[in-house]
Every structure is written in C-alpha cells, then in structure tokens.
Amino acid sequence: MSEPQGINPNIPHSARVYDYWLGGKDNFEADRRVAEATMAAVPGVRESARNNRAFLGRAVRHLAQLGIRQFLDLGTGIPTQGNVHEVAQAEAPESRIVYVDNDPIVMAHARALLTGTREGKTAYIEADVRDPRSVLDHPEVRETLDFTQPIALMMVAILMHIPDQDDPAGIVKAFADALPAGSYLVLSHLTLDLVPKQIADDYLAATRSQAMHRTPRTGAQIARYFDGFDVIEPGLVGVSQWRETPLFPDTATWMYGGAGRKR
C-alpha cells in the first residue's frame, strides 16, 4: 500500500498486523515483519485472529436477532469483510452503527469503504477509547445513537492493547454507565489461560521486543469487565467455542470472548 500523509510506515501498528493476519492488503513491510515473526513463534495466532473476527460477526448477528439496533464499535481496526454494520444491517437494515478508532489510517479506510444502508446509519469518529467522554460526548455519536434505547458496546480485541496503568476496567465502566438497561457488552481479549505453559512462555518472549503493547489477562480478570452485566450463554469461552463451530481449527486458543446484558 502507498504511504498516507502523516503515517510512518516503519513503525508497526496492531491494526495493520491484524489486517495482515486476516488476509488484508492494508499493511506495510514493518507490519508484515512483526506479523510473520509472531506467527513463527506463536502457533495458531493467525487462525486465532480469524476466529476472533468470526466471533465478532456471530455476536453482532445474535444481538441483532435479539432486537438490538444500535452498535458502538470501539477500536474498529482496518475494514475487512464481515464488518459490524454489514452483519447488523443484513439482519435489520435500520440498524445504526458508530465506529471509533484513534488511528488516522483506519478512519481514512473506514470512511472510504464502510457504507451502510439507506434505512440505517453508519458513522465514524476518530477518538481514543481511553478517554470515554471524548467518544460519548461526540456530536456524531449523539446524533447517530439514542442513549435511551439499548446499545451494543463492542470491545473486541481492544482492551488487550490498554495497559493496567490506563485502568481498562475503569474505561469499560465509564462506557457501561452511559448505556441504558438492556444494552449489551461484547468483548474478546488475549489470554494465556488456554495454551500450554511453554507456548505461553514462547509468546511472551516473541512479543517482548515488539513495538506494540499487548497485555494478556486471565479469565478471572476479563470476567470482571462484565460487572453489572449478566453474561449470556455459553459464557466467557474461547472465541472459537462461542455459539458455533469455528471457521478455522485452533492450534491454540489465544482469545476469550463473551457477551453480557446490562441489568
């Protein structure tokens, strides 16, 4: 891909590494080097990324079938197939979606590629999820979403990029407190719980020197993000086990996924 203005192609970025694992083309050589190095050291990481993407689609479809018509997608990532609005509006064309990311290249691609139905609305804002008020008070968010009606808060593979010192639990709570009862939280998160210790150690060694920050967390830590929510079946599980057979057989399960309904 060509180098967009203001983007340093020599610094790898998690969204572009993820795009590479998903088979996308919106990545640079630095991203590909990190992606390939991680794949070499960590068995099944690309399959896990693809299963995580499939989990997002299944979760959106399930909530749309339950009657949810509004989605706030935090940490959108570079658009690929099966985006939130595509899945939601295929079930209910009137669905309304807001995408949020703090990467200019992600937003440039989103605005160019993510077009919704005439009946619904699809909006995109550039903001940092670590500052919830900058998202919740944004005019586009307030114009697109009705905060008196249930909203699905999508935090898929985003919290693992937020270190403990930035208080990820506090960030989740700030967003959750703004949602009415009957809303949903959908999240997935990197974990080392579900892989053998040697593979976990190899992962930590492989990623320690990388420029991108990821924090694996335990199931117990991730479950606390659902405080105030009733987790729906099948609970907090490996993403490939959430409600359907995985598209890609797991060599190792690196991601927990789950959804909960706000009380």
Side-chain angles (χ1 to χ4, degrees):
M1 75 184 279
S2 59
E3 177 184 340
Q5 185 176 2
I7 300 297
N8 187 341
N10 299 312
I11 299 176
H13 190 285
S14 58
R16 296 189 295 267
V17 170
Y18 190 58
D19 173 73
Y20 179 78
W21 285 336
L22 294 178
K25 299 178 180 179
D26 296 306
N27 46 75
F28 299 115
E29 180 60 31
D31 306 308
R32 294 189 285 274
R33 284 199 300 268
V34 168
E36 290 287 350
T38 306
M39 287 164 55
V42 182
V45 67
R46 178 162 59 182
E47 291 76 12
S48 184
R50 294 179 179 187
N51 278 328
N52 182 68
R53 185 69 180 182
F55 159 76
L56 178 146
R58 293 198 302 274
V60 171
R61 186 176 302 108
H62 181 65
L63 296 189
Q65 291 170 352
L66 292 178
I68 298 299
R69 297 293 180 263
Q70 303 188 104
F71 296 82
L72 178 58
D73 185 19
L74 304 180
T76 298
I78 292 173
T80 185
Q81 291 183 343
N83 296 292
V84 171
H85 77 282
E86 293 172 325
V87 178
Q89 292 176 349
E91 293 289 335
E94 71 273 21
S95 297
R96 303 171 75 83
I97 296 89
V98 176
Y99 291 106
V100 182
D101 206 287
N102 67 343
D103 185 344
I105 193 171
V106 168
M107 285 294 96
H109 280 276
R111 293 186 179 99
L113 299 175
L114 302 181
T115 56
T117 61
R118 287 184 298 176
E119 299 93 331
K121 183 170 182 180
T122 306
Y124 331 90
I125 70 166
E126 188 176 329
D128 194 326
V129 301
R130 292 171 297 181
D131 180 6
R133 292 303 344 159
S134 72
V135 176
L136 295 168
D137 295 337
H138 195 285
E140 282 278 344
V141 174
R142 289 291 165 175
E143 180 182 331
T144 304
L145 303 179
D146 178 358
F147 280 78
T148 69
Q149 299 298 316
I151 296 170
L153 177 66
M154 310 296 297
M155 303 189 79
V156 174
I158 180 63
L159 293 169
M160 64 196 201
H161 297 292
I162 300 177
D164 292 338
Q165 59 263 34
D166 286 342
D167 189 18
I171 292 169
V172 176
K173 185 177 187 303
F175 280 105
D177 285 350
L179 304 178
S183 294
Y184 284 84
L185 169 63
V186 176
L187 65 80
S188 63
H189 198 295
L190 176 67
T191 186
L192 301 181
D193 287 3
L194 307 176
V195 297
K197 184 179 184 303
Q198 184 58 56
I199 294 179
D201 291 344
D202 290 345
Y203 170 83
L204 292 173
T207 57
R208 193 170 291 122
S209 62
Q210 294 178 4
M212 298 179 302
H213 180 91
R214 301 186 192 92
T215 301
R217 295 186 171 96
T218 67
Q221 290 173 313
I222 298 166
R224 286 198 285 271
Y225 296 138
F226 285 102
D227 286 352
F229 292 81
D230 294 319
V231 178
I232 64 176
E233 292 295 332
L236 185 64
V237 297
V239 290
S240 61
Q241 280 76 53
W242 200 84
R243 303 193 69 86
E244 287 184 22
T245 304
L247 294 177
F248 304 95
D250 282 325
T251 305
T253 300
W254 294 98
M255 302 285 286
Y256 274 123
R261 187 177 190 273
K262 186 175 179 181
R263 301 184 194 107

